[in-house]
């Protein structure tokens, strides 16, 4: 509704002087790479040292029903109840680039609310999740051990945009597969 958009824009403008004071971290990776597991562990550490952390988790939306599970609070059970943490799952609602349509505004609101660490977890679909890069100070790509080949490493896109790449799940079958590949 247009009247709601005007009010929302006015609120964002009032919050702007309080924004830009957080560390903004974007986290992406293929589905199953352990984004939620990493965020819960990192978030518990950060909140445990007295920092206030906000997690903006973007979930994929169904093309037919437009619905989304928004299951990140379930995956981050301990972090979701920590008094220094806030988790806000949002549907992608067809927005490309791994983020939701109002992610930038959500970051500003979280900063104005006093959160000093903001994590933006992308949908996790692959090479096209680059929109988050322009919204954050640090961009982390989580990759599965043994996934892909030498060609994957030279592809343009998300890999060259990442500030850091962390290899996850380097145990069990993944460890065995990596040894076989080497």
């Amino acid at each position: 509704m247009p009247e709601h958009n005007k009010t929302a824009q006015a609120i964002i403008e009032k919050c702007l002087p309080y924004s830009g004071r957080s560390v903004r971290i974007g986290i992406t990776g293929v589905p199953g790479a352990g984004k939620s597991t990493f965020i819960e562990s990192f978030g518990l550490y950060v909140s445990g040292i007295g920092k206030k952390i906000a997690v903006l988790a973007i979930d994929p939306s169904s093309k037919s029903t437009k619905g989304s599970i928004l299951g990140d609070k379930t995956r981050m059970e301990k972090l979701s109840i920590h008094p220094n943490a806030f988790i806000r799952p949002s549907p992608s609602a067809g927005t490309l680039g791994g983020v939701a349509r109002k992610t930038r505004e959500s970051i500003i609101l979280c900063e104005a609310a006093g959160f000093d660490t903001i994590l933006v977890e992308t949908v996790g679909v692959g090479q096209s999740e680059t929109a988050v890069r322009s919204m954050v100070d640090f961009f982390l790509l989580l990759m599965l051990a043994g996934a892909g080949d030498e060609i994957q490493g030279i592809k343009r896109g998300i890999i060259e945009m990442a500030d850091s790449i962390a290899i996850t799940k380097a145990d069990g079958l993944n460890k065995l597969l990596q040894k076989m590949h080497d």
Side-chain angles (χ1 to χ4, degrees):
M1 299 187 145
E3 64 273 9
H4 292 182
N5 288 336
K6 279 182 141 180
T7 303
Q9 189 59 39
I11 291 170
I12 294 295
E13 287 176 19
K14 295 269 187 196
C15 291
L16 281 173
Y18 305 98
S19 68
R21 299 178 187 164
S22 73
V23 175
R24 300 173 178 184
I25 301 171
I27 300 172
T28 194
V30 298
K35 292 181 298 295
S36 295
T37 301
F38 173 85
I39 289 170
E40 180 165 50
S41 293
F42 182 73
L44 288 170
Y45 170 77
V46 170
S47 58
I49 61 171
K51 301 286 185 183
K52 289 183 67 181
I53 187 166
V55 178
L56 303 176
I58 315 304
D59 276 354
S61 298
S62 166
K63 291 204 183 266
S64 57
T65 66
K66 308 296 184 225
S68 184
I69 295 173
L70 304 176
D72 289 293
K73 278 189 161 181
T74 303
R75 285 193 193 110
M76 300 178 216
E77 189 175 340
K78 292 177 185 169
L79 185 60
S80 69
I81 60 171
H82 197 287
N84 286 347
F86 169 73
I87 301 173
R88 170 70 171 131
S90 298
S92 62
T95 302
L96 298 177
V99 294
R101 197 166 51 91
K102 297 293 184 181
T103 298
R104 193 175 305 276
E105 290 85 347
S106 297
I107 291 170
I108 292 168
L109 292 172
C110 287
E111 289 173 332
F115 290 95
D116 43 44
T117 306
I118 313 289
L119 302 182
V120 180
E121 177 190 9
T122 69
V123 169
V125 294
Q127 293 279 343
S128 66
E129 294 199 345
T130 56
V132 70
R133 181 65 190 104
S134 67
M135 299 178 190
V136 297
D137 304 310
F138 186 84
F139 189 41
L140 175 63
L141 171 60
L142 300 179
M143 296 184 68
L144 292 168
D149 56 21
E150 291 80 17
I151 300 299
Q152 299 296 90
I154 60 174
K155 281 185 177 177
R156 303 250 182 248
I158 201 163
I159 292 174
E160 65 186 10
M161 296 183 108
D163 293 306
S164 184
I165 299 172
I167 306 301
T168 61
K169 298 186 180 179
D171 60 355
L173 185 57
N174 281 331
K175 188 173 184 177
L176 178 64
L177 291 173
Q178 184 62 40
K179 282 184 181 181
M180 291 172 56
H181 179 70
D182 293 339

